[in-house]
Amino acid sequence: MDKEDNQTMILAAGVGSRLDPLTSQIPKPLCPILGRPVMEHIIRLCKKHGFTEFAANTHVMKEKIESHFKDIKSNLGVTLNLVYEKELTGVAGGIRTCKQYLTDDVILIMMGDALTDVDLTRLYEAHIKSDFSVTVGIKQVQDTSQYGVVVADEKRKIISFQEKPKPEDALSNWANTGIYFFDRKIIDEIPLIEERQK
């Protein structure tokens, strides 16, 4: 399967309370790292690996995100659809909000604050070769209290998550990086808000 132009969903609606007071002035996706917003770093990384179509949900200070990317979108050479999430709707809410733009066979999902140099091509290829509908990027860490922890069986199938457990309570030391590959059928199973409320 050719991943050229495959779609990426960036979860960019977070409040960023842990970065306050910085995030009282700018939204978390625009927090600068080496003079460039973190979300721009993400887009550039994705483009380097052949992902050039983007959707992102916005919420906090959406106008600032819209203004920034309106000015530089053409320079980046990507398609970027920003979708305002007026009310945050919980688990998978951002994906639900951008569902109309997520139509490829495989969708890359990334957190809007994921500053990384991960090899997305390698992770994509591992997903395609697997029998799984979802692939989660994970990384070994020493201090599990700072991360969501992934617990998997001997076949690498995830059986549970722990949210920031103390090291002595952690069932693994593999952290969820906030980088995922979803098969389209998983996106299709996420109900629209109206369906979810029935």
Side-chain angles (χ1 to χ4, degrees):
M1 184 187 301
D2 184 7
K3 71 171 173 55
E4 189 67 31
D5 297 332
N6 261 15
Q7 297 158 344
T8 302
M9 160 76 201
I10 299 177
L11 299 164
V15 175
S17 56
R18 288 178 291 179
L19 294 176
D20 194 49
L22 180 62
T23 47
S24 66
Q25 303 296 318
I26 58 175
K28 184 169 65 169
L30 294 188
C31 286
I33 307 291
L34 298 176
R36 182 175 287 163
V38 63
M39 185 168 154
E40 193 177 327
H41 283 287
I42 293 168
I43 290 172
R44 288 175 183 274
L45 174 70
C46 291
K47 184 182 177 185
K48 176 182 173 183
H49 289 273
F51 296 85
T52 60
E53 295 185 13
F54 295 84
N57 63 325
T58 63
H59 181 67
V60 177
M61 292 181 263
K62 74 177 183 75
E63 297 85 2
K64 292 189 176 183
I65 297 176
E66 290 168 355
S67 176
H68 177 81
F69 285 103
K70 179 182 179 182
D71 292 340
I72 70 159
K73 187 167 49 173
S74 60
N75 293 338
L76 289 171
V78 299
T79 301
L80 173 60
N81 295 291
L82 298 172
V83 184
Y84 176 49
E85 193 171 358
K86 184 176 181 180
E87 179 183 349
L88 299 180
T89 57
V91 175
I95 298 172
R96 182 185 303 112
T97 299
C98 293
K99 200 171 180 180
Q100 63 182 326
Y101 298 110
L102 307 178
T103 57
D104 281 351
D105 292 335
V106 176
I107 310 293
L108 169 60
I109 311 285
M110 292 188 69
M111 302 298 290
D113 58 357
L115 183 65
T116 178
D117 62 355
V118 66
D119 187 340
L120 292 171
T121 298
R122 183 178 174 189
L123 191 59
Y124 172 87
E125 290 171 351
H127 174 74
I128 296 300
K129 290 175 183 175
S130 76
D131 293 326
F132 299 128
S133 299
V134 176
T135 295
V136 180
I138 58 176
K139 177 179 175 62
Q140 279 190 303
V141 297
Q142 291 185 339
D143 183 4
T144 56
S145 67
Q146 301 299 310
Y147 304 94
V149 170
V150 171
V151 183
D153 64 17
E154 65 279 357
K155 295 181 179 179
R156 298 188 301 163
K157 181 177 180 181
I158 294 174
I159 55 177
S160 66
F161 293 91
Q162 283 183 291
E163 186 57 33
K164 299 177 182 174
K166 295 177 181 177
E168 61 269 24
D169 297 327
L171 297 177
S172 90
N173 66 342
W174 289 97
N176 179 355
T177 64
I179 301 169
Y180 313 88
F181 281 100
F182 279 30
D183 283 356
R184 172 68 208 181
K185 63 183 178 181
I186 299 298
I187 303 290
D188 288 339
E189 289 177 9
I190 299 172
L192 297 173
I193 294 175
E194 297 79 15
E195 297 169 344
R196 190 176 66 96
Q197 292 174 339
K198 287 181 181 179

